[in-house]
Amino acid sequence: MQNLARPAGPPPLLWVMAAIFVGFELTFALAESGLFGRTDLRVEVYLRGAFLDFYFDRALAGESPPGWFWTSFVTYAFLHGGMLHLLMNTAVFLGLGSYIAHGIGLPRFLILFGVTAIAGAVAFGLIAKTNGPMIGASGVVFGFIGALKRWEWKYIQRTGAPANRFWGTIIALILINLLLLLYFPGDGGLAWEAHLGGFVAGFLIAPLLAPHAAGPSPI
């Protein structure tokens, strides 16, 4: 694959993954409305599926965290903190994910998803100091952006195309994270650490997943 072409639409697998995002959040919302006779379902699932920094700190200290902690390096990406959080992440996931999945194939897309999710969790665990859960697909989304920017940089090097768009996107991402950090401070706010980890992982692994890929980024 020499160039990343604009796809017709998301492959079925991406719709299934997006449906899982939506299914969790709808179930939580229905539970919180009292439909299931319990309002703590979100908390219960977060305690098993969200990435919890204090267990990460315990693991680094040589203690043994619960077994499900290790799966939370990926499962946190399927959970969200409300409809707005869900809609933003799912829309970008489908848009950028479709572009990448059609370009490099579903197996390598899944590797990119897993690696960037794990990198986002690791970066959060190493940098953040919070007792709150870390959730959401935004670390993966930033991993997608990192991969696309790496392929765009390769395209710029090959063709001599202007790098304005590349650097403009990087600056815009930094400013957006700074603004969101100011708007959502403290525990339960923006997990910029996961964004950073996901972006760096996506940027680094992109040439390994598709050594010959190069093309303008859609963002």
Side-chain angles (χ1 to χ4, degrees):
M1 177 186 62
Q2 288 297 116
N3 295 293
L4 296 168
R6 185 173 297 278
L13 176 63
L14 270 70
W15 286 115
V16 171
M17 296 173 76
I20 296 173
F21 297 170
V22 174
F24 273 119
E25 189 56 40
L26 284 179
T27 301
F28 297 152
L30 291 172
E32 288 162 357
S33 73
L35 182 64
F36 303 140
R38 54 180 301 184
T39 59
D40 61 346
L41 183 61
R42 183 186 297 271
V43 175
E44 289 297 318
V45 174
Y46 280 7
L47 288 174
R48 296 293 184 271
F51 183 81
L52 300 172
D53 185 50
F54 59 84
Y55 282 129
F56 184 83
D57 291 339
R58 290 184 185 181
L60 290 181
E63 300 179 25
S64 297
W68 49 259
F69 166 72
W70 302 109
T71 60
S72 74
F73 281 79
V74 173
T75 56
Y76 80 89
F78 290 87
L79 305 173
H80 290 86
M83 285 299 175
L84 180 60
H85 190 207
L86 168 73
L87 291 173
M88 289 192 301
N89 277 347
T90 304
V92 183
F93 170 82
L94 286 173
L96 296 185
S98 176
Y99 197 88
I100 293 172
H102 281 286
I104 67 175
L106 289 175
R108 285 178 288 181
F109 168 84
L110 290 174
I111 293 172
L112 179 64
F113 181 97
V115 168
T116 54
I118 292 169
V122 170
F124 185 84
L126 290 174
I127 302 171
K129 298 302 174 187
T130 176
N131 290 322
M134 196 270 285
I135 52 174
S138 54
V140 170
V141 165
F142 272 80
F144 290 171
I145 297 173
L148 288 168
K149 290 314 217 181
R150 182 62 178 270
W151 291 320
E152 181 182 44
W153 184 250
K154 191 169 184 178
Y155 171 79
I156 291 169
Q157 291 180 314
R158 282 183 181 178
T159 64
N164 297 8
R165 185 184 182 93
F166 176 90
W167 291 114
T169 301
I170 301 299
I171 293 170
L173 291 174
I174 293 172
L175 291 176
I176 289 170
N177 275 273
L178 287 174
L179 289 173
L180 290 174
L181 186 59
L182 292 174
Y183 191 74
F184 298 108
D187 286 0
L190 178 76
W192 64 267
E193 303 90 346
H195 297 176
L196 176 63
F199 181 91
V200 171
F203 194 86
L204 293 177
I205 198 175
L208 300 178
L209 294 175
H212 304 295
S217 171
I219 59 171

